[in-house]
Amino acid sequence: MLTVDFTRFPLAAGDRVLDLGCGAGRHAFECYRRGAQVVALDQNGEEIREVAKWFAAMKEAGEAPEGATATAMEGDALNLPFPDESFDVVIISEVMEHIPDDKGVLAEMVRVLKPGGRIAITVPRYGPEKICWTLSDAYHEVEGGHIRIYKADELLGKIRGAGLKPYGTHHAHALHSPYWWLKCAFGVGRDGEDAALPVRAYHKLLVWDIMKKPAVTRVAEQLLNPVVGKSFVAYATKPHLPRAAADDLSKAEA
């Protein structure tokens, strides 16, 4: 289940991609399939080990084209272990709402992104997320949980403040908003067979949708995304420095 829309966020074979806070690796896997040179980074060592196993399995199965590479590694989003201007593309999906120093993370992403490079940022959307917080304290008052809810203008302002130029936005995963509202209403900590019947029933619907991709739910989600999409997605580029500014910077560094 991808949150980034690659029809709006073009990826070329050979692009060097950083999936920052990759989690289970869904966007990293898609970039690998598209022929990119992918680095999947997360602070969770257990998840990184699983992502590395999946990369190896994909290579063995021939799912990635020739020339594509994939590396999974542990790391700190506030202190990325890469030189300046290392990547053509940076993706950070459903991560910034967890990190107190979100401006610091943006600064690090901008540092490692090449001029002219592209960045995709996704966060929980304000309205659906606010409902979750209202229904359940346990939803966000956990270690490593969500510490803020972004309004779209606020996030775009921080993106611009970091020196990036936004070029598009959209919402995603409308069908997932009711699921989380149900989880919050009936108990976030209740999973599997212990979950309430409405939660289990809706979860089966989501699994069916993800596996089968029926036209009816695809159309329904497209219609509902602008209204109750669970995620807000923003795309931006890192501008090239004007010639005069670049010359001044070179002189200052000399």
Side-chain angles (χ1 to χ4, degrees):
M1 184 187 70
L2 299 174
T3 308
V4 172
D5 181 352
F6 286 93
T7 66
R8 310 181 196 218
F9 190 65
L11 190 69
D15 275 351
R16 185 162 167 80
V17 177
L18 173 63
D19 185 2
L20 180 56
C22 65
R26 56 201 172 105
H27 289 106
F29 300 149
E30 181 64 20
C31 293
Y32 189 31
R33 291 188 185 100
R34 290 172 178 262
Q37 297 175 10
V38 183
V39 176
L41 183 144
D42 201 284
Q43 67 177 2
N44 187 315
E46 184 176 344
E47 287 196 311
I48 283 298
R49 286 188 286 275
E50 284 299 311
V51 169
K53 290 178 184 177
W54 278 106
F55 278 151
M58 290 172 68
K59 181 178 181 180
E60 180 70 21
E63 289 189 37
E66 186 175 354
T69 62
T71 302
M73 60 186 296
E74 289 184 59
D76 180 359
L78 290 165
N79 186 24
L80 295 174
F82 310 112
D84 296 354
E85 302 178 4
S86 300
F87 294 93
D88 303 290
V89 173
V90 176
I91 297 171
I92 184 166
S93 183
E94 312 298 302
V95 173
M96 287 180 58
E97 67 275 9
H98 296 272
I99 301 177
D101 186 7
D102 57 349
K103 289 184 179 180
V105 173
L106 275 167
E108 272 293 87
M109 290 190 290
V110 171
R111 180 184 68 79
V112 302
L113 186 65
K114 296 177 182 178
R118 304 172 305 286
I119 189 166
I121 299 174
T122 90
V123 297
R125 185 185 187 174
Y126 184 84
E129 183 77 347
K130 189 69 173 178
I131 293 172
C132 288
W133 282 46
T134 300
L135 289 171
S136 171
D137 290 337
Y139 172 78
H140 62 97
E141 291 183 356
V142 294
E143 184 178 355
H146 298 184
I147 63 171
R148 70 173 64 84
I149 310 176
Y150 288 102
K151 291 185 176 179
D153 288 347
E154 175 194 2
L155 180 60
L156 291 171
K158 289 186 176 184
I159 291 171
R160 292 188 184 98
L164 297 167
K165 184 178 180 180
Y167 69 84
T169 65
H170 65 91
H171 300 96
H173 308 318
L175 295 182
H176 288 251
S177 289
Y179 171 73
W180 283 103
W181 297 338
L182 288 169
K183 283 273 288 183
C184 289
F186 287 98
V188 172
R190 297 174 60 186
D191 296 313
E193 291 302 315
D194 186 47
L197 178 59
V199 176
R200 296 201 308 271
Y202 201 96
H203 184 262
K204 289 181 180 179
L205 170 66
L206 292 179
V207 171
W208 172 75
D209 174 57
I210 291 169
M211 298 300 295
K212 300 296 184 181
K213 298 180 175 62
V216 62
T217 53
R218 295 301 86 218
V219 171
E221 186 154 75
Q222 288 177 9
L223 293 173
L224 290 170
N225 274 337
V227 183
V228 292
K230 183 75 170 65
S231 294
F232 174 70
V233 188
Y235 305 106
T237 59
K238 179 178 178 178
H240 291 275
L241 279 173
R243 173 59 61 186
D247 290 342
D248 289 345
L249 182 60
S250 296
K251 291 177 183 177
E253 292 177 345

